[in-house]
């Protein structure tokens, strides 16, 4: 059986890393074969590209930025995501195609159709089965981020207005794609995790029906 491809998205500081970890632990306890990975990154080459992309010392033009994210995605998809799905695993991936639309498209202003085309090329058309979007106020996300670290990467150092465009971008993309589930980030980490489990269980029930199990 082919695996399941689940992506988590949201602005910086939305808590997706913590929630992805909690979901991974939950699924492992239930006996599923799971791998958790991230973009940019997930393979040795793509992690090197991640360091270049996030280092505040690099001046990167928007088109260069888009192409580097696409390069990282192409490598990651071929080397890790596709083989894992073919082996029947659940792949939990922090960020994927939608991040390029939200950040480089809505955030930087690059034409969305160019990004869609590049996403298609980089992934050979592989789309997530389900995408969980963690939606949170930009101000609150930054407050949470500051509590954890004083070191901001190149993208996190962008102005508030940039992050507001990214947040609205994500909400726009979510309206167009059926695979999206939006979870409001309010309450405790546990409260949000419970919402993630509800979303997963509902998705998995439909998934089993669709494949006739
Ligand atoms: P994160 O993995 O810690 O969230 O950091 C990745 C950063 O890269 C984050 O600010 C979002 C940004 N990003 C893009 O701008 N475009 C992309 O395609 C991806 C995958 C990430």
């Amino acid at each position: 059986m082919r695996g399941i491809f689940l992506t988590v998205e949201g602005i910086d500081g939305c808590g997706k890393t913590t929630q992805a970890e909690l979901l991974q632990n939950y699924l492992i306890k239930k006996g599923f074969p799971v791998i958790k990975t991230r973009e940019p990154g997930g393979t040795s080459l793509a992690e090197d590209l991640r360091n270049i992309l996030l280092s505040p010392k690099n001046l990167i033009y928007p088109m260069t930025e888009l192409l580097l994210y696409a390069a990282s995605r192409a490598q990651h998809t071929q080397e890790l995501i596709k083989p894992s799905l073919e082996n029947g695993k659940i792949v939990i991936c922090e960020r994927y195609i939608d991040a390029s639309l939200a950040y480089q498209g809505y955030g930087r202003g690059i034409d969305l159709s160019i990004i869609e085309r590049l996403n298609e090329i980089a992934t050979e058309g592989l789309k997530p089965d389900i995408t969980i979007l963690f939606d949170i106020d930009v101000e609150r996300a930054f407050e949470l981020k500051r509590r954890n670290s004083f070191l901001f990467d190149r993208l996190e150092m962008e102005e508030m207005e940039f992050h507001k465009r990214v947040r609205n971008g994500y909400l726009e993309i979510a309206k167009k794609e059926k695979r999206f589930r939006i979870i409001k980030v309010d309450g405790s980490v546990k409260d949000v995790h419970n919402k993630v489990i509800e979303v997963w269980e509902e998705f998995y029930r439909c998934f089993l029906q669709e494949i006739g199990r």
Side-chain angles (χ1 to χ4, degrees), residues 3-130:
I4 294 174
F5 187 20
L6 180 151
T7 57
V8 294
E9 298 276 359
I11 59 169
D12 295 278
C14 70
K16 66 181 165 29
T17 303
T18 307
Q19 290 302 331
E21 262 165 33
L22 290 171
L23 176 62
Q24 179 187 25
N25 294 340
Y26 172 86
L27 293 173
I28 288 172
K29 272 199 199 122
K30 292 235 156 189
F32 290 103
V34 189
I35 65 151
K36 187 171 83 62
T37 183
R38 66 176 179 183
E39 286 203 359
T43 72
S44 171
L45 173 67
E47 287 290 332
D48 285 352
L49 290 171
R50 177 186 179 91
N51 290 333
I52 293 171
L53 276 160
L54 299 188
S55 167
K57 81 173 175 15
N58 289 330
L59 165 75
I60 305 183
Y61 290 97
M63 187 51 74
T64 316
E65 185 180 85
L66 172 66
L67 292 168
L68 286 172
Y69 279 113
S72 149
R73 183 160 304 130
Q75 183 72 25
H76 186 215
T77 308
Q78 296 303 317
E79 189 179 333
L80 185 71
I81 300 177
K82 279 192 177 166
S84 304
L85 290 173
E86 278 155 19
N87 283 332
K89 298 218 167 98
I90 296 178
V91 177
I92 300 175
C93 186
E94 288 181 48
R95 303 194 185 281
Y96 189 60
I97 47 176
D98 305 304
S100 286
L101 288 167
Y103 280 80
Q104 282 65 56
Y106 288 90
R108 301 274 190 234
I110 297 178
D111 196 307
L112 294 178
S113 65
I114 295 176
I115 303 174
E116 277 164 2
R117 181 84 188 99
L118 266 178
N119 276 340
E120 177 79 21
I121 294 167
T123 63
E124 294 177 331
L126 179 72
K127 287 208 170 182
D129 297 299
I130 173 170

Side-chain angles (χ1 to χ4, degrees), residues 14-16 18-20 22-23 132-136 140 144 182-200:
C14 70
K16 66 181 165 29
T18 307
Q19 290 302 331
L22 290 171
L23 176 62
I132 300 177
L133 171 60
F134 293 102
D135 184 49
I136 184 171
R140 175 143 168 71
L144 294 175
I182 301 175
I183 290 184
K184 286 253 166 268
V185 180
D186 43 29
S188 66
V189 168
K190 182 95 181 65
D191 293 336
V192 178
H193 175 58
N194 288 338
K195 291 189 210 170
V196 173
I197 298 308
E198 248 175 63
V199 160
W200 163 263

